[in-house]
Amino acid sequence: MWSTCTKEVILSLIDDIELISREILENSVQPKPKKMSPADHQAVTELLVEKDKQLQAALKVATEQGEVEHQIDQVRAQVEEQDALIRNLQKQLKEAESLLSNTIYQAKQKLESVGKAKPVLSEDLIKYSHKISASNAVAAPPNWQQGDP
């Protein structure tokens, strides 16, 4: 089912109105014997009025279509904005994925190194720290106060 576009309908109606108007004008300048009968003149005038009504209806449809087109353009603009936001979010997610991938790799390496390390008893660690402290090998900065890290 092929329907004609509104532009074609309007142009066709304008052509029809032009032809009918030309016919009426030519009839009005004709000598009296060559003029069309009042019934024919009435029919042509009614046809002109009908074509004008059709033209007005077509122009109304064209106006509505223009408003719909404007709404479509607005929606397209909103879609573009949302697409830009989605692309930005996608980029950020890729960056986060990359960072997480690196972090997971490093964490696995640390776990492997912890697994390979020899276990040390906490008592031995405390004894060693006392040994270091006793030899005065560790000193606090001159402005250090208790409670400072």
Side-chain angles (χ1 to χ4, degrees), residues 91-110:
K91 180 181 173 186
Q92 290 175 355
L93 287 173
K94 288 284 187 187
E95 290 173 3
E97 179 186 23
S98 175
L99 289 173
L100 285 173
S101 175
N102 289 339
T103 304
I104 289 172
Y105 177 74
Q106 291 172 356
K108 284 182 181 178
Q109 284 183 331
K110 286 206 184 249

Side-chain angles (χ1 to χ4, degrees), residues 120-130:
V120 177
L121 295 175
S122 60
E123 296 166 356
D124 292 339
L125 192 58
I126 293 171
K127 285 181 188 176
Y128 187 70
S129 65
H130 282 294

Side-chain angles (χ1 to χ4, degrees), residues 6-149:
T6 308
K7 178 181 176 181
E8 291 174 4
V9 170
I10 290 173
L11 291 175
S12 173
L13 287 169
I14 289 173
D15 288 342
D16 292 347
I17 290 172
E18 180 184 2
L19 288 173
I20 295 168
S21 299
R22 186 174 291 146
E23 183 71 27
I24 291 173
L25 288 173
E26 285 176 1
N27 183 51
S28 63
V29 294
Q30 293 279 341
K32 201 164 199 170
K34 292 185 178 180
K35 285 188 178 183
M36 62 177 92
S37 68
D40 290 341
H41 192 271
Q42 179 67 26
V44 172
T45 305
E46 287 176 2
L47 181 61
L48 179 64
V49 170
E50 180 61 32
K51 291 292 181 177
D52 183 57
K53 287 179 183 177
Q54 291 175 1
L55 178 63
Q56 295 304 321
L59 289 173
K60 183 177 178 183
V61 168
T63 302
E64 291 170 357
Q65 288 175 346
E67 291 171 0
V68 169
E69 183 69 25
H70 180 68
Q71 291 173 350
I72 288 171
D73 290 341
Q74 288 178 336
V75 168
R76 282 187 182 139
Q78 291 174 352
V79 166
E80 284 297 321
E81 289 175 15
Q82 296 301 319
D83 282 349
L85 291 174
I86 289 170
R87 283 191 295 274
N88 187 22
L89 182 60
Q90 185 178 18
K91 180 181 173 186
Q92 290 175 355
L93 287 173
K94 288 284 187 187
E95 290 173 3
E97 179 186 23
S98 175
L99 289 173
L100 285 173
S101 175
N102 289 339
T103 304
I104 289 172
Y105 177 74
Q106 291 172 356
K108 284 182 181 178
Q109 284 183 331
K110 286 206 184 249
L111 283 174
E112 286 177 10
S113 67
V114 166
K116 291 179 183 177
K118 290 193 264 178
V120 177
L121 295 175
S122 60
E123 296 166 356
D124 292 339
L125 192 58
I126 293 171
K127 285 181 188 176
Y128 187 70
S129 65
H130 282 294
K131 183 177 177 183
I132 292 173
S133 303
S135 67
N136 295 321
V138 176
N143 60 352
W144 183 84
Q145 295 178 357
Q146 191 169 358
D148 285 348

